[in-house]
Amino acid sequence: MALIHAISQFVNEDRQYVILTDSISVLKALKASNRHSKRVINLLAHQISTVIEKIISIEFVRTPGHSGINEKELVDSLTRSAPNTKLLSWISHEDLGNNSKKFYEQEFNKIWLNSKYCTKFSHLSTIKQEHRILPPNRKTDVLLSRFRTVTYPHNVKLHRFDLISSPLCKFCLQEETLIHILFECTKYSPQREILRQHFGCLPLSFLVFSIL
């Protein structure tokens, strides 16, 4: 954000500009920027594009912090002397989204812990925390969401829409439904056995849907 402010305020004449920064991460992100980059990087790239035709050149140079450069030390001192400036309170929408998500997760967790169901179904929290089946990532979240909402594209569903020629499971030669995949298919027998060893004699259907 400091770079955006510097360009918008001071880079406006037909001259050569050299901008010093100690943020190597911003320079790397700017060099590899694309439409999927964080919004602050795209804002910086846009700001550069708006002034590039008005000036001779602009160069970004990475300098270590507290390196004895007078101008940089002056900026650092001004930053320290103005901790409540509006510029420093700026936050990217990605950071805002992540912090909002964490806040709501904490609030919902408080509601759960204070509810009458927390004691009655406390085993669900233990199962999820101590025996997470898959690592947390977007692909896993999508897979689990499809399981929960019964929208996983199994062969019976794909065959119904004429996307494949047969609704049968290629391993068991039975109709491949979500229930078949989770509880019957021989391909996943080793995984189901591992699940049983973890949780003992509880019904497998109860365990799977509790974790999901």
Side-chain angles (χ1 to χ4, degrees), residues 17-35:
Y17 292 88
V18 177
I19 298 181
L20 307 181
T21 177
D22 59 0
S23 178
I24 190 171
S25 60
V26 171
L27 296 181
K28 288 182 176 180
L30 182 62
K31 184 176 180 180
S33 65
N34 54 61
R35 63 189 183 90

Side-chain angles (χ1 to χ4, degrees), residues 112 117-131 199 202-203 206-211:
W112 163 252
Y117 300 105
C118 180
T119 303
K120 186 175 181 181
F121 299 100
S122 59
H123 58 278
L124 299 183
S125 298
T126 303
I127 290 173
K128 290 181 179 180
Q129 293 172 6
E130 297 182 359
H131 303 280
F199 299 109
L202 289 174
F206 170 80
L207 291 173
V208 170
F209 287 107
S210 293
I211 294 172

Side-chain angles (χ1 to χ4, degrees), residues 35-151:
R35 63 189 183 90
H36 299 295
S37 299
K38 288 189 174 183
R39 188 167 183 266
V40 66
I41 299 300
N42 287 331
L43 286 174
L44 176 57
H46 174 72
Q47 190 65 45
I48 295 171
S49 67
T50 59
V51 301
I52 197 67
E53 296 180 356
K54 305 176 185 178
I55 63 177
I56 298 176
S57 66
I58 184 171
E59 181 180 1
F60 296 92
V61 177
R62 191 259 173 176
T63 58
H66 309 290
S67 54
I69 300 174
N70 292 335
E71 292 81 358
K72 192 171 184 306
E73 295 298 329
L74 175 61
V75 171
D76 288 341
S77 64
L78 292 174
T79 301
R80 289 191 294 270
S81 64
N84 296 321
T85 176
K86 292 183 179 180
L87 179 62
L88 294 179
S89 64
W90 188 90
I91 183 172
S92 69
H93 79 283
E94 291 92 352
D95 292 335
L96 180 61
N98 290 335
N99 282 282
S100 297
K101 181 180 179 181
K102 290 179 181 178
F103 172 78
Y104 283 113
E105 286 178 349
Q106 291 172 355
E107 290 301 309
F108 281 121
N109 189 50
K110 290 179 183 177
I111 294 174
W112 163 252
L113 293 176
N114 293 326
S115 70
K116 62 181 180 180
Y117 300 105
C118 180
T119 303
K120 186 175 181 181
F121 299 100
S122 59
H123 58 278
L124 299 183
S125 298
T126 303
I127 290 173
K128 290 181 179 180
Q129 293 172 6
E130 297 182 359
H131 303 280
R132 190 174 183 92
I133 298 177
L134 298 172
N137 55 54
R138 176 164 176 75
K139 184 176 181 181
T140 300
D141 289 341
V142 170
L143 178 63
L144 295 179
S145 295
R146 287 179 172 177
F147 281 167
R148 293 188 187 104
T149 56
V150 199
T151 56

